Amino acid sequence: MKRILSGMQPTYQLHLGNYLGALKNWVDLQNAEPDNENLYCVVDMHAITMPYDRDGLAQATREIAAAYIAAGIDPKKSAIFAQSAVGDLHAQLMWYLATMTQIGKLNRMTQFKDKVGKNTEKAGLGLYAYPVLMAADILIYNATHVPVGEDQKQHLELARDIASTFNHRYNREFFTLPEPMIMGDATRVMSLRDGNQKMSKSAESDLSRINLTDDADMIADKIKRAKTDPNPLPETVDGLKGRPEADNLVTIYAALSGQTKVQVLEEFGGKQFSEFKPKLSEITVEKIAPITTRMRELMADPTEIDSILKNGADKARTVASPILSEVKSIMGFWES
Ligand code: TYM
């Protein structure tokens, strides 16, 4: 049995990158491997490491939970919970793990560097320690597998590293080294405005991403305006080399339609973007619209989501509490 854990930050809105790189894979995994234990967290404690909207945080947390459910995460098969609801356990383990994390390793974290730019002196400690909290999120459940997009790979390597430091220091195989699961072709969905930049929540232009809350017209408009090059689509995957925008759009089409890029190019190779883009809009709307509609329905009655989040937190606590107790005992803390 695998114990799967993953999470998303309730910052801004979810976009197609979050969906294809993570959420869709969670749903596929949940349905394909019913024996797994699944824990899906809304990482609100990570969200506060950057300036955030205090008045919108709780609602943003509900909205991410709604997105999980709308995309197909079934609260009967997967615990859905807010990180802060078990924050006492996550943060406590984080502190212990922080004592075995070298700052040299934190200094190499590319996401931290990207977020702070040159202004390292003014960066917050929380942002710096972000990957240690992420390691605690995973290790507090002794999760075996972590499905994420490619951008989280380095954070996961650090989590494995910290787990093995713990095991080594206390001379026992206590923590499982969590396996990253970076699944499918769309592990790194790129911006619609620049095929060399990741599609991200924080990019300034909303035209760079498709949000899970965009309606059909917005999706069609963004895809129509997506940057391309003047050539028709190639016949082979090799022909996508050096054409990041074309590669990205083909990847998105493939992931949404459940095909390989080879199959997509069999159908569209030699065709112009003017022919391909309307088809891409069509499939995007077809896959995203039902999620958006379901999210709206769920958000209309927050009591249901609140109850799902509460049950999820209870479940998470049941798994995490004994693990934290064992960690304390292994580390030699006083116990009554
Ligand atoms: P976050 O909220 O930035 O992103 C959530 C998930 O979406 C994936 N993702 C993408 N995948 C493909 N293409 C993209 N353009 C793209 N953008 C985002 C991310 O890889 C991620 O899987 N640090 C994490 C949250 C976290 C976490 C954890 C994840 C905290 N604790 C424990 C797993 C386990 C983050 O900021 O994700």
Side-chain angles (χ1 to χ4, degrees):
M1 185 201 74
K2 294 177 186 151
R3 182 175 286 160
I4 313 271
L5 176 127
S6 200
M8 293 196 183
Q9 294 189 65
T11 35
Y12 310 93
Q13 286 159 344
L14 293 189
H15 53 70
L16 197 60
N18 299 126
Y19 178 63
L20 293 177
L23 187 49
K24 181 177 180 296
N25 299 330
W26 303 355
V27 175
D28 292 346
L29 256 176
Q30 172 199 263
N31 297 337
E33 300 182 14
D35 292 338
N36 291 344
E37 191 173 358
N38 309 305
L39 297 148
Y40 290 116
C41 186
V42 182
V43 291
D44 48 359
M45 286 159 68
H46 278 107
I48 62 166
T49 56
M50 294 289 276
Y52 73 100
D53 168 21
R54 183 254 164 237
D55 296 331
L57 182 63
Q59 196 64 352
T61 301
R62 290 188 187 103
E63 202 165 296
I64 301 289
Y68 291 0
I69 300 161
I73 296 294
D74 177 351
K76 290 195 198 78
K77 299 181 187 157
S78 304
I80 299 172
F81 61 100
Q83 180 189 31
S84 62
V86 263
D88 49 336
L89 307 183
H90 288 230
Q92 194 174 343
L93 181 63
M94 177 206 168
W95 178 253
Y96 301 156
L97 300 180
T99 65
M100 37 200 113
T101 307
Q102 292 170 359
I103 60 169
K105 290 196 175 139
L106 293 179
N107 287 339
R108 286 198 284 278
M109 293 291 122
T110 54
Q111 290 219 334
F112 173 73
K113 288 197 257 188
D114 289 349
K115 280 185 183 155
V116 297
K118 291 199 182 78
N119 222 348
T120 41
E121 288 289 309
K122 292 209 168 138
L125 177 60
L127 191 61
Y128 190 55
Y130 177 117
V132 189
L133 180 58
M134 179 161 160
D137 296 340
I138 300 166
L139 300 179
I140 193 82
Y141 303 101
N142 227 338
T144 59
H145 292 80
V146 185
V148 283
E150 213 211 44
D151 62 346
Q152 296 302 317
K153 208 169 156 192
Q154 195 188 26
H155 286 157
L156 274 164
E157 273 159 19
L158 183 75
R160 288 169 62 87
D161 203 82
I162 296 174
S164 86
T165 304
F166 180 97
N167 291 348
H168 193 251
R169 186 169 293 182
Y170 297 99
N171 199 21
R172 67 196 78 199
E173 293 304 308
F174 180 73
F175 285 127
T176 314
L177 302 198
E179 276 305 323
M181 295 178 101
I182 298 175
M183 299 161 70
D185 274 332
T187 56
R188 190 174 175 82
V189 177
M190 307 309 278
S191 155
L192 298 180
R193 306 300 289 171
D194 176 354
N196 293 308
Q197 296 285 327
K198 192 178 68 169
M199 184 179 283
S200 86
K201 299 175 195 175
S202 49
E204 248 161 62
S205 169
D206 194 54
L207 287 174
S208 69
R209 61 185 164 256
I210 290 170
N211 303 306
L212 288 195
T213 46
D214 286 348
D215 63 25
D217 288 344
M218 281 160 95
I219 292 175
D221 185 50
K222 286 178 178 177
I223 290 179
K224 198 163 152 205
R225 291 160 76 169
K227 188 177 165 200
T228 48
D229 56 43
N231 300 318
L233 283 162
E235 313 272 344
T236 63
V237 174
D238 233 25
L240 290 169
K241 275 199 191 123
R243 299 180 63 186
E245 285 84 14
D247 193 356
N248 189 37
L249 297 186
V250 169
T251 303
I252 293 174
Y253 191 97
L256 286 170
S257 63
Q259 289 176 289
T260 60
K261 290 203 261 187
V262 174
Q263 288 169 315
V264 176
L265 292 176
E266 268 165 19
E267 189 179 344
F268 292 102
K271 302 229 162 87
Q272 298 292 339
F273 283 103
S274 53
E275 220 173 305
F276 177 64
K277 281 181 165 183
K279 296 282 180 201
L280 179 59
S281 299
E282 226 170 81
I283 188 132
T284 310
V285 171
E286 187 190 314
K287 299 289 173 184
I288 298 300
I291 300 179
T292 313
T293 311
R294 183 78 188 107
M295 265 176 85
R296 290 218 180 94
E297 285 165 11
L298 286 160
M299 289 303 288
D301 176 17
T303 50
E304 191 187 340
I305 298 195
D306 285 345
S307 125
I308 290 170
L309 283 170
K310 189 170 176 320
N311 290 338
D314 291 345
K315 166 80 208 289
R317 187 170 289 280
T318 312
V319 180
S321 280
I323 294 177
L324 186 64
S325 296
E326 261 192 271
V327 167
K328 285 180 71 177
S329 159
I330 291 171
M331 291 180 73
F333 284 106
W334 172 84
E335 287 167 287
S336 62

